[in-house]
Amino acid sequence: IMCDHLQEIYHKLLQCLGQYMKVCITAAINTVRDDFKNKQSVALQGVERKKSHIAALRVAHIATQCMVKLDRFYQSKIHPVMKQNSIPYNVGAVKAEVLTPTEASLSELLVLSCQMMCRQLLMVLNTTQNKTDFNITPVQSSSTTANPAAGGSVMYQCTSTCRQFVDSLQSNLDEINMNLDGANRDQYVLLLASIMFEGLCAHFKAYQVSEIGALIVRADITRYVEAFGTLGIANVTKLFRKLKYVSNLMLLSPTALDDFLHSNPPEQPLTYADAIGFIKNRTDIPNQTLQALAKRFTVR
């Protein structure tokens, strides 16, 4: 009797799973969307609150595990019986029919979750970085330590904003690693890295940088590169290493910039326009030098 109804049984299981996941995923999507609309959430600082993007990751984990367990059930319990009794059944077509809409909603949920996560991370940058963090004099600087291994030379530490950002990033990465794996994790992390690289570039363009401040910029960038390097994806590591190019633009003497830009053109996604955007915030660059660099390189 069971052999006669195996197809119907499995189809019903798929339908139940699809309906259950649709309800859960739709609710999670609506929660994240509502959070996007809530302007107050952008202004919240240091306040513990339920984070919709984390809840969305957990919903995605449950949905994925349900699909995995149902597939294992089919492979271990149903498929052997059907094969033994020569019962034809195109399981792939049935799964596609029932679960494709659910998988599309799951993908939408993960994208929204990632965008909200990036919004929270960017909020750390935008609300805690002081305008003078990179525009300081030696007298003002307190972000230094002596490095005995370097003969007591001064080492500039990253800013408190950078440390807060990295701590928040690590907390979010822990949630990603607990709830996603395989292709879902890789796609999520790639989107996260792409958005955050663009966000960090825009961030560094928003601050004036003194000669001493350039060393602090380098310290921050070094920490960001290290943090994103822990994601374990080669393309992400390669992307964030390009931030070191920004360090060079801040640290080189004004007279060396022309030769540097000519010999070391920026790699995508950075452009010459981006390079000039970073350089123009240096307080030690004369307007005449900046105009000459802009004229020569931004027309490329």
Side-chain angles (χ1 to χ4, degrees), residues 2 27 32 49 55 70 72 120 158 196 272 291:
M2 184 176 180
V32 179
R49 57 189 295 273
L70 184 57
R72 288 175 180 169
Q120 297 287 338
C158 61
M196 291 315 307
Y272 276 113
Q291 291 171 6

Side-chain angles (χ1 to χ4, degrees), residues 3 5 18 26 69 72 86 110 121 141 153 165 188 272 290:
C3 291
H5 298 287
T26 299
K69 289 180 179 179
R72 288 175 180 169
S86 301
L110 290 175
L121 289 168
S141 176
S153 61
F165 176 92
Y188 194 100
Y272 276 113
L290 179 62

Side-chain angles (χ1 to χ4, degrees), residues 105-122:
S105 296
L106 180 59
S107 295
E108 180 185 0
L109 175 62
L110 290 175
V111 169
L112 285 171
S113 168
C114 186
Q115 291 172 337
M116 177 56 73
M117 184 178 293
C118 291
R119 180 184 182 182
Q120 297 287 338
L121 289 168
L122 290 172

Side-chain angles (χ1 to χ4, degrees), residues 10 66-76 91 95:
Y10 186 66
C66 286
M67 288 190 282
V68 169
K69 289 180 179 179
L70 184 57
D71 191 56
R72 288 175 180 169
F73 173 73
Y74 172 82
Q75 294 296 335
S76 64
V91 65
K95 286 175 65 176

Side-chain angles (χ1 to χ4, degrees), residues 165-179:
F165 176 92
V166 171
D167 288 345
S168 182
L169 175 65
Q170 187 57 59
S171 176
N172 281 293
L173 291 181
D174 290 342
E175 290 288 347
I176 293 171
N177 291 330
M178 282 192 295
N179 292 292

